Amino acid sequence: MSSFLSITANMNTIFAVLLVFVGCCSNVVFLELLVRKFPGCGNIVTFAQFAFIALEGFIFETNFGRKKPAIPMSNYVIMVTMFFTVSVINNYALNFNIAMPLHMIFRSGSLIANMILGIIILKKRYSMSKYLSIAMVSLGIFICTIMSARQVNTGAEGSEDQDVYAFLHWLLGIAMLTFALLMSARMGIFQETLYKQYGKHSKEALFYNHCLPLPGFLLLSSDIYNHGVLFSQSTPVEVPVIGQAVPVMWLYLLINVITQYVCIRGVFILTTECASLTVTLVVTLRKFISLIFSILYFKNPFTAWHWVGTAVVFLGTLIYTEVWTSVRMALRRKEELKEKKAE
């Protein structure tokens, strides 16, 4: 019986890892296809993702609104305000000359924000290896950001005023990503305290985080409508299953929304089946593969210094998760088992 449960757990873990890699990696690809054609389409993408996940949660999690939330609604309102702000700003930052590789690298800096706010708000203290890893992640992001800034300066053709405007425009995008990073970390701490008080209700939180912000999109309705019109005017492609021609941008958006859901579900299953270390490693590796694909397939500008910065970021992340310690402990246990069998 125990062996059957163990096999089932392993199968669930493998399935979750596949969902994360297939869902999250393909989601990034279709987001870049959308952004390359219409750089300002972040709001319609965010709205579509929120609406789809909210609809799924309304049907399967709340049983058409009949199930009461385990966590008080007032707490969800605070959490949702932060979540909505982070999601909109992260996608909207792509309007400000932020290349997709830099966007991914910058968002990998969540460890820094979590540690800083953990020290300030929760009064946490960390080991020297943690501080070293955060310093490395910060250095890696700084290298990539500086190199991207140079490309903004040298890549723009026009007068000096236009160059300055392009740089300031890019700088505003960096400021937005920084704010979203800190806000996301603050939301994580708030979520942590809620789960300690009321227990873990990840699926419930996923629903309310996507449902409650929907009225906020009324503020962005004109932008969403305008991009909907632009999407409808895109080149039609025939969908084999239904045998109908659909504007290609709507098809990209649909696939982006579905893969976003697959990605989130994969991470959710992973958190219930594996330790947090495993989850962090899988997500980090997924980000690295997405980054490589974005550079090679979409031919995004990426210098040798970008590679150095990226390597430093991911090495710092691995040190933070103490993967080396875990590997050493696993090898030590393996040796101990061999010695016991030899005896």
Side-chain angles (χ1 to χ4, degrees), residues 20-21 108 110-111 114 267 270-271 274-288 314 316-323:
V20 170
F21 276 93
S108 298
S110 55
L111 290 174
N114 286 332
V267 173
L270 209 58
T271 55
C274 306
S276 58
L277 170 65
T278 306
V279 177
T280 306
L281 285 175
V282 170
V283 172
T284 301
L285 186 57
R286 192 279 304 169
K287 286 179 180 178
F288 186 73
F314 284 103
T317 304
L318 291 175
I319 291 173
Y320 184 89
T321 57
E322 296 180 344
V323 65

Short mmCIF file of all heavy atoms in Angstrom, two decimals, residues 20-21 108 110-111 114 267 270-271 274-288 314 316-323:
data_model
loop_
_atom_site.label_atom_id
_atom_site.label_comp_id
_atom_site.label_asym_id
_atom_site.label_seq_id
_atom_site.Cartn_x
_atom_site.Cartn_y
_atom_site.Cartn_z
N VAL A 20 4.28 22.66 -15.34
CA VAL A 20 5.03 23.92 -15.13
C VAL A 20 5.87 24.25 -16.35
O VAL A 20 5.84 25.37 -16.86
CB VAL A 20 5.91 23.82 -13.87
CG1 VAL A 20 6.87 25.01 -13.79
CG2 VAL A 20 5.05 23.77 -12.61
N PHE A 21 6.62 23.25 -16.85
CA PHE A 21 7.51 23.51 -17.99
C PHE A 21 6.73 23.79 -19.26
O PHE A 21 7.01 24.75 -19.98
CB PHE A 21 8.49 22.35 -18.18
CG PHE A 21 9.69 22.42 -17.31
CD1 PHE A 21 9.71 21.78 -16.07
CD2 PHE A 21 10.79 23.15 -17.69
CE1 PHE A 21 10.82 21.87 -15.25
CE2 PHE A 21 11.90 23.25 -16.88
CZ PHE A 21 11.92 22.60 -15.65
N SER A 108 13.18 37.70 -11.63
CA SER A 108 13.89 36.67 -10.88
C SER A 108 14.48 37.23 -9.59
O SER A 108 14.98 36.48 -8.75
CB SER A 108 15.00 36.04 -11.73
OG SER A 108 14.47 35.41 -12.86
N SER A 110 12.97 38.40 -7.14
CA SER A 110 11.99 38.40 -6.06
C SER A 110 12.62 37.99 -4.72
O SER A 110 12.15 38.40 -3.65
CB SER A 110 10.83 37.45 -6.39
OG SER A 110 11.33 36.16 -6.69
N LEU A 111 13.70 37.18 -4.79
CA LEU A 111 14.39 36.77 -3.55
C LEU A 111 14.91 37.98 -2.78
O LEU A 111 14.84 38.02 -1.56
CB LEU A 111 15.55 35.83 -3.88
CG LEU A 111 15.20 34.43 -4.39
CD1 LEU A 111 16.46 33.70 -4.79
CD2 LEU A 111 14.44 33.65 -3.34
N ASN A 114 11.98 39.80 -1.14
CA ASN A 114 11.46 39.00 -0.02
C ASN A 114 12.36 39.10 1.20
O ASN A 114 11.88 39.22 2.33
CB ASN A 114 11.34 37.52 -0.44
CG ASN A 114 10.16 37.28 -1.36
OD1 ASN A 114 9.18 38.00 -1.31
ND2 ASN A 114 10.26 36.29 -2.22
N VAL A 267 2.14 24.76 -10.73
CA VAL A 267 2.83 25.26 -9.53
C VAL A 267 2.04 24.88 -8.28
O VAL A 267 2.61 24.49 -7.26
CB VAL A 267 3.04 26.79 -9.62
CG1 VAL A 267 3.60 27.33 -8.31
CG2 VAL A 267 3.99 27.13 -10.77
N LEU A 270 2.52 21.26 -7.52
CA LEU A 270 3.90 21.08 -7.07
C LEU A 270 4.07 21.47 -5.60
O LEU A 270 4.77 20.79 -4.85
CB LEU A 270 4.84 21.92 -7.95
CG LEU A 270 6.27 21.40 -8.14
CD1 LEU A 270 6.29 20.02 -8.75
CD2 LEU A 270 7.06 22.38 -9.02
N THR A 271 3.42 22.56 -5.20
CA THR A 271 3.53 23.02 -3.80
C THR A 271 2.88 22.04 -2.83
O THR A 271 3.27 21.97 -1.67
CB THR A 271 2.89 24.41 -3.61
OG1 THR A 271 1.53 24.37 -4.08
CG2 THR A 271 3.64 25.49 -4.37
N CYS A 274 5.58 18.63 -3.21
CA CYS A 274 7.03 18.74 -3.00
C CYS A 274 7.37 19.79 -1.94
O CYS A 274 6.55 20.64 -1.60
CB CYS A 274 7.73 19.12 -4.30
SG CYS A 274 7.35 18.03 -5.66
N ALA A 275 8.62 19.70 -1.49
CA ALA A 275 9.14 20.72 -0.58
C ALA A 275 9.34 22.03 -1.33
O ALA A 275 9.47 22.05 -2.55
CB ALA A 275 10.46 20.24 0.02
N SER A 276 9.38 23.13 -0.57
CA SER A 276 9.52 24.45 -1.18
C SER A 276 10.82 24.57 -1.98
O SER A 276 10.88 25.29 -2.99
CB SER A 276 9.46 25.54 -0.12
OG SER A 276 10.49 25.35 0.84
N LEU A 277 11.86 23.85 -1.53
CA LEU A 277 13.15 23.86 -2.24
C LEU A 277 12.97 23.32 -3.66
O LEU A 277 13.44 23.93 -4.63
CB LEU A 277 14.16 22.99 -1.49
CG LEU A 277 15.48 22.70 -2.22
CD1 LEU A 277 16.26 23.98 -2.43
CD2 LEU A 277 16.30 21.69 -1.45
N THR A 278 12.25 22.21 -3.79
CA THR A 278 12.02 21.61 -5.11
C THR A 278 11.22 22.55 -6.00
O THR A 278 11.53 22.71 -7.19
CB THR A 278 11.25 20.27 -4.96
OG1 THR A 278 11.97 19.44 -4.05
CG2 THR A 278 11.12 19.56 -6.29
N VAL A 279 10.21 23.18 -5.43
CA VAL A 279 9.38 24.12 -6.19
C VAL A 279 10.23 25.27 -6.72
O VAL A 279 10.15 25.64 -7.90
CB VAL A 279 8.23 24.68 -5.31
CG1 VAL A 279 7.41 25.71 -6.10
CG2 VAL A 279 7.32 23.55 -4.84
N THR A 280 11.09 25.82 -5.84
CA THR A 280 11.94 26.94 -6.24
C THR A 280 12.89 26.53 -7.36
O THR A 280 13.10 27.27 -8.32
CB THR A 280 12.75 27.46 -5.03
OG1 THR A 280 11.86 27.75 -3.97
CG2 THR A 280 13.54 28.71 -5.39
N LEU A 281 13.47 25.33 -7.23
CA LEU A 281 14.40 24.85 -8.26
C LEU A 281 13.70 24.66 -9.60
O LEU A 281 14.23 25.05 -10.65
CB LEU A 281 15.04 23.54 -7.81
CG LEU A 281 16.12 23.64 -6.74
CD1 LEU A 281 16.56 22.25 -6.32
CD2 LEU A 281 17.30 24.45 -7.22
N VAL A 282 12.51 24.07 -9.58
CA VAL A 282 11.76 23.84 -10.83
C VAL A 282 11.41 25.16 -11.49
O VAL A 282 11.60 25.34 -12.70
CB VAL A 282 10.49 23.00 -10.55
CG1 VAL A 282 9.59 22.97 -11.79
CG2 VAL A 282 10.86 21.59 -10.15
N VAL A 283 10.91 26.11 -10.70
CA VAL A 283 10.51 27.42 -11.24
C VAL A 283 11.73 28.17 -11.78
O VAL A 283 11.67 28.81 -12.84
CB VAL A 283 9.77 28.25 -10.17
CG1 VAL A 283 9.54 29.68 -10.65
CG2 VAL A 283 8.44 27.60 -9.81
N THR A 284 12.86 28.08 -11.05
CA THR A 284 14.08 28.76 -11.49
C THR A 284 14.59 28.17 -12.81
O THR A 284 14.95 28.91 -13.73
CB THR A 284 15.18 28.63 -10.42
OG1 THR A 284 14.71 29.19 -9.20
CG2 THR A 284 16.45 29.35 -10.84
N LEU A 285 14.60 26.84 -12.90
CA LEU A 285 15.03 26.18 -14.13
C LEU A 285 14.10 26.53 -15.29
O LEU A 285 14.54 26.75 -16.42
CB LEU A 285 15.07 24.67 -13.92
CG LEU A 285 15.65 23.82 -15.07
CD1 LEU A 285 17.08 24.26 -15.40
CD2 LEU A 285 15.62 22.34 -14.72
N ARG A 286 12.80 26.60 -15.00
CA ARG A 286 11.82 26.98 -16.03
C ARG A 286 12.09 28.38 -16.55
O ARG A 286 12.04 28.64 -17.76
CB ARG A 286 10.41 26.90 -15.43
CG ARG A 286 9.28 26.98 -16.43
CD ARG A 286 8.93 28.38 -16.87
NE ARG A 286 8.60 29.26 -15.77
CZ ARG A 286 8.47 30.56 -15.91
NH1 ARG A 286 8.70 31.15 -17.06
NH2 ARG A 286 8.15 31.32 -14.87
N LYS A 287 12.41 29.31 -15.65
CA LYS A 287 12.72 30.69 -16.06
C LYS A 287 13.96 30.72 -16.96
O LYS A 287 14.01 31.46 -17.94
CB LYS A 287 12.95 31.58 -14.82
CG LYS A 287 11.68 31.93 -14.08
CD LYS A 287 12.00 32.79 -12.87
CE LYS A 287 10.74 33.16 -12.11
NZ LYS A 287 11.03 33.94 -10.89
N PHE A 288 14.95 29.91 -16.59
CA PHE A 288 16.19 29.88 -17.37
C PHE A 288 15.93 29.36 -18.78
O PHE A 288 16.41 29.93 -19.76
CB PHE A 288 17.23 29.00 -16.66
CG PHE A 288 18.58 29.01 -17.32
CD1 PHE A 288 19.39 30.12 -17.22
CD2 PHE A 288 19.03 27.93 -18.05
CE1 PHE A 288 20.63 30.15 -17.83
CE2 PHE A 288 20.26 27.94 -18.66
CZ PHE A 288 21.07 29.06 -18.54
N PHE A 314 21.14 33.22 -11.51
CA PHE A 314 20.68 31.86 -11.27
C PHE A 314 21.57 31.11 -10.27
O PHE A 314 21.08 30.30 -9.49
CB PHE A 314 20.58 31.10 -12.59
CG PHE A 314 19.37 31.50 -13.39
CD1 PHE A 314 19.49 32.33 -14.47
CD2 PHE A 314 18.11 31.06 -13.02
CE1 PHE A 314 18.37 32.72 -15.20
CE2 PHE A 314 16.99 31.44 -13.73
CZ PHE A 314 17.11 32.27 -14.83
N GLY A 316 23.11 32.59 -7.77
CA GLY A 316 22.67 33.16 -6.49
C GLY A 316 21.38 32.54 -6.01
O GLY A 316 21.20 32.26 -4.81
N THR A 317 20.46 32.28 -6.94
CA THR A 317 19.18 31.64 -6.59
C THR A 317 19.40 30.23 -6.06
O THR A 317 18.78 29.82 -5.07
CB THR A 317 18.25 31.59 -7.83
OG1 THR A 317 18.07 32.92 -8.34
CG2 THR A 317 16.89 31.00 -7.47
N LEU A 318 20.30 29.47 -6.71
CA LEU A 318 20.59 28.11 -6.27
C LEU A 318 21.25 28.11 -4.89
O LEU A 318 20.95 27.25 -4.05
CB LEU A 318 21.50 27.41 -7.28
CG LEU A 318 20.86 27.09 -8.64
CD1 LEU A 318 21.89 26.50 -9.58
CD2 LEU A 318 19.69 26.12 -8.48
N ILE A 319 22.13 29.07 -4.62
CA ILE A 319 22.76 29.17 -3.29
C ILE A 319 21.71 29.48 -2.23
O ILE A 319 21.72 28.93 -1.14
CB ILE A 319 23.87 30.25 -3.29
CG1 ILE A 319 25.05 29.80 -4.16
CG2 ILE A 319 24.35 30.55 -1.88
CD1 ILE A 319 26.12 30.85 -4.36
N TYR A 320 20.76 30.38 -2.60
CA TYR A 320 19.70 30.75 -1.65
C TYR A 320 18.86 29.54 -1.25
O TYR A 320 18.49 29.38 -0.09
CB TYR A 320 18.80 31.82 -2.28
CG TYR A 320 17.74 32.34 -1.34
CD1 TYR A 320 18.02 33.44 -0.52
CD2 TYR A 320 16.48 31.75 -1.24
CE1 TYR A 320 17.06 33.93 0.36
CE2 TYR A 320 15.53 32.23 -0.37
CZ TYR A 320 15.82 33.32 0.42
OH TYR A 320 14.87 33.79 1.29
N THR A 321 18.56 28.67 -2.22
CA THR A 321 17.73 27.50 -1.93
C THR A 321 18.51 26.38 -1.25
O THR A 321 17.95 25.34 -0.92
CB THR A 321 17.10 26.93 -3.23
OG1 THR A 321 18.15 26.63 -4.15
CG2 THR A 321 16.16 27.94 -3.86
N GLU A 322 19.84 26.61 -1.06
CA GLU A 322 20.71 25.66 -0.37
C GLU A 322 20.70 24.29 -1.05
O GLU A 322 20.71 23.24 -0.39
CB GLU A 322 20.31 25.53 1.10
CG GLU A 322 20.49 26.84 1.87
CD GLU A 322 20.09 26.72 3.33
OE1 GLU A 322 19.40 25.74 3.68
OE2 GLU A 322 20.45 27.61 4.11
N VAL A 323 20.67 24.33 -2.38
CA VAL A 323 20.62 23.07 -3.13
C VAL A 323 21.88 22.24 -2.92
O VAL A 323 21.83 21.02 -2.84
CB VAL A 323 20.39 23.34 -4.64
CG1 VAL A 323 21.55 24.09 -5.26
CG2 VAL A 323 20.13 22.05 -5.39
#
